[in-house]
């Protein structure tokens, strides 16, 4: 079972699931894939939020990859409510 945090949305789940099956991706590729059914702009916003909580890593030029923390969340081994934002 996954334990999400108050700041998370369903889009975050889809982004993490998508990134767990690809090495890296951009918000545009995620939106175009049909697997993450949100706008490119919204996916980009959520990727920045996920990066703030270290669940994804921004590699530059809009490219993201899932981190070990993101993988632990997907596996149900981590409660996202325990994560602290980098901006706090």
């Amino acid at each position: 079972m996954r334990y999400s945090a108050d700041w998370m949305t369903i889009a975050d789940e889809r982004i993490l699931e998508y990134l767990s099956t690809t090495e890296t991706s951009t918000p545009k590729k995620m939106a175009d894939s049909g697997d993450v059914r949100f706008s490119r702009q919204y996916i980009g916003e959520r990727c920045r939020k996920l990066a703030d909580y270290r669940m994804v890593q921004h590699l530059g030029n809009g490219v993201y990859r899932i981190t070990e923390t993101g993988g632990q969340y997907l596996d149900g081994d981590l409660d996202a409510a325990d994560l602290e934002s980098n901006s706090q």
Side-chain angles (χ1 to χ4, degrees):
M1 175 179 277
R2 295 180 188 160
Y3 299 97
S4 61
D6 292 345
W7 55 267
M8 293 182 77
T9 70
I10 192 68
D12 300 338
E13 295 264 344
R14 299 301 162 262
I15 291 165
L16 290 169
E17 289 167 353
Y18 182 83
L19 288 173
S20 73
T21 64
T22 63
E23 190 170 322
T24 62
S25 193
T26 65
K28 180 177 180 350
K29 286 181 183 175
M30 288 184 235
D32 290 348
S33 74
D35 293 331
V36 185
R37 295 182 178 181
F38 298 92
S39 71
R40 177 190 58 78
Q41 293 86 356
Y42 186 66
I43 294 170
E45 178 184 316
R46 297 314 303 168
C47 282
R48 289 186 292 278
K49 186 67 148 182
L50 289 167
D52 191 39
Y53 284 89
R54 296 170 304 285
M55 295 181 91
V56 301
Q57 180 183 14
H58 183 233
L59 301 174
N61 295 323
V63 177
Y64 293 89
R65 74 173 169 200
I66 193 167
T67 63
E68 183 178 342
T69 300
Q72 290 172 335
Y73 168 76
L74 285 180
D75 292 341
D77 295 333
L78 178 133
D79 185 340
D82 293 337
L83 298 175
E84 292 187 20
S85 168
N86 282 334
S87 63
Q88 290 182 354

